[in-house]
Amino acid sequence: MNDISYMQANSDISVLKQIGEFIKEKRVEQNISQDSLASRAVLSRSTLSLIERGESISLLNLIKILRMLDALYVLDRFKIELQISPMLLAKEEQKKRKRAFRAKENPEEELGW
């Protein structure tokens, strides 16, 4: 894929349309009307309709809609996970104890005094 077609496929308008299609598909899958979803998400039905057609959406409204559709999982890609380098992992592994030691119960008796 060349750079121009990639940019067009992922233009702002294209991404908004994909978001709108996703929301509509999830809503229809769950057999929820626009009125019902808009009411649950505390939005107007016309705002939801605009979003489903690919119009601009605020992040807060997107979160509300995804929450009502039980689809917040799509935001998991934004989670930052701590990455441990292989070198650090190997060093930590070396520090771990390899054996258990039996504690001496009464060290004074072994001295033979």
Side-chain angles (χ1 to χ4, degrees), residues 40-105:
R40 291 185 207 171
V42 192
L43 302 169
S44 68
R45 191 210 49 81
S46 61
T47 299
L48 180 59
S49 177
L50 289 171
I51 291 167
E52 287 185 355
R53 288 189 309 228
E55 297 295 323
S56 184
I57 182 173
S58 76
L59 185 56
L60 184 58
N61 285 343
L62 177 62
I63 292 169
K64 288 180 192 179
I65 293 167
L66 292 176
R67 179 172 283 121
M68 292 304 108
L69 292 173
D70 196 26
L72 279 174
Y73 62 87
V74 299
L75 301 178
D76 286 346
R77 300 282 283 179
F78 290 100
K79 289 183 183 175
I80 297 174
E81 295 181 17
L82 182 61
Q83 299 272 332
I84 299 176
S85 73
M87 291 299 291
L88 183 60
L89 189 59
K91 285 179 183 178
E92 291 296 320
E93 195 64 33
Q94 286 177 343
K95 290 180 185 178
K96 288 184 181 177
R97 291 181 57 183
K98 306 287 189 253
R99 297 188 177 117
F101 296 98
R102 186 177 344 154
K104 296 180 181 178
E105 293 179 17

Side-chain angles (χ1 to χ4, degrees), residues 3 12 38 71 75 112:
D3 290 339
D12 295 347
L75 301 178

